[in-house]
Amino acid sequence: MDHKELEILHLLEGNARLDIETIAKMTEMTIDEVEQIIQKLEDENIILNYSTVIDWSQVRRYEGVTAMIDVKVTPQRGVGFDEVAERIHRFPEVKALYLMSGAYDLSVTIEAGRMTEIARFVSEKLSALDSVISTTTHFQLKTYKHDGVVFGEKREGDKRIVVSP
């Protein structure tokens, strides 16, 4: 991976809505070069998705609940944690899944409409898997920062300076 590809990745990670022309100016590349690099990164599954960070606490009538679940599992011979992780990530409630170091093996993030739905997920789906030894569930109370975005700050326009030759 070269310097220009990394630069484009960092720009898109910070703001996926940047248009090709702006990226070209910021990286001192042509529009065609930027388009080719982005297409290459998408084809190679380096860029997997473009997402938006939403402050759901600001959305009226939205009462969603997010839980982080620590899971201790018995790794399977020959495949380690991958097989159980694949079974867990298939559940539609699962928004994120990570292999962790420390007391627990997996960290699962799920979203639901109510706490009872999370309880049902843990008791009926997650804990029912043969490899799962134990779980600890943590409920998200407030978001201060997510994906580099600080919540609750008054946002002003983009303060970056576009540098062009």
Side-chain angles (χ1 to χ4, degrees):
M1 174 140 323
D2 69 21
H3 171 73
K4 292 294 183 182
E5 292 172 340
L6 286 172
E7 190 174 6
I8 289 172
L9 286 174
H10 284 292
L11 289 170
L12 289 173
E13 185 179 41
N15 181 359
R17 292 187 68 186
L18 284 175
D19 60 69
I20 301 292
E21 186 176 312
T22 303
I23 295 171
K25 287 178 185 175
M26 294 173 81
T27 59
E28 299 179 351
M29 298 172 67
T30 67
I31 291 172
D32 287 340
E33 289 173 317
V34 171
E35 286 176 338
Q36 288 173 3
I37 288 174
I38 290 173
Q39 186 62 55
K40 175 185 176 237
L41 295 170
E42 289 173 348
D43 291 345
E44 292 177 355
N45 289 327
I46 294 170
I47 295 176
L48 299 175
N49 193 8
Y50 298 90
S51 63
T52 303
V53 177
I54 299 170
D55 185 351
W56 287 105
S57 69
Q58 300 296 319
V59 179
R60 293 188 190 272
R61 296 190 193 128
Y62 179 77
E63 296 297 326
V65 179
T66 301
M68 286 74 151
I69 306 166
D70 297 326
V71 185
K72 186 176 253 328
V73 299
T74 303
Q76 301 297 308
R77 179 165 292 166
V79 293
F81 299 101
D82 294 344
E83 188 174 296
V84 69
E86 186 175 323
R87 290 184 69 193
I88 292 170
H89 81 64
R90 286 190 206 147
F91 292 120
E93 300 91 340
V94 174
K95 299 302 174 195
L97 175 61
Y98 305 98
L99 178 62
M100 305 296 287
S101 64
Y104 289 88
D105 304 306
L106 299 173
S107 177
V108 182
T109 302
I110 68 168
E111 294 176 356
R114 299 185 329 231
M115 289 177 78
T116 56
E117 293 174 42
I118 292 174
R120 191 174 305 115
F121 171 82
V122 172
S123 64
E124 295 175 8
K125 294 181 178 181
L126 191 58
S127 295
L129 297 174
D130 291 337
S131 300
V132 173
I133 298 169
S134 66
T135 64
T136 301
T137 303
H138 310 274
F139 290 97
Q140 179 181 311
L141 301 177
K142 182 177 180 179
T143 302
Y144 293 101
K145 186 174 182 178
H146 180 76
D147 282 346
V149 178
V150 177
F151 285 54
E153 273 188 347
K154 296 288 185 210
R155 293 180 51 129
E156 297 176 22
D158 191 350
K159 295 180 181 179
R160 289 178 295 184
I161 299 172
V162 177
V163 178
S164 59

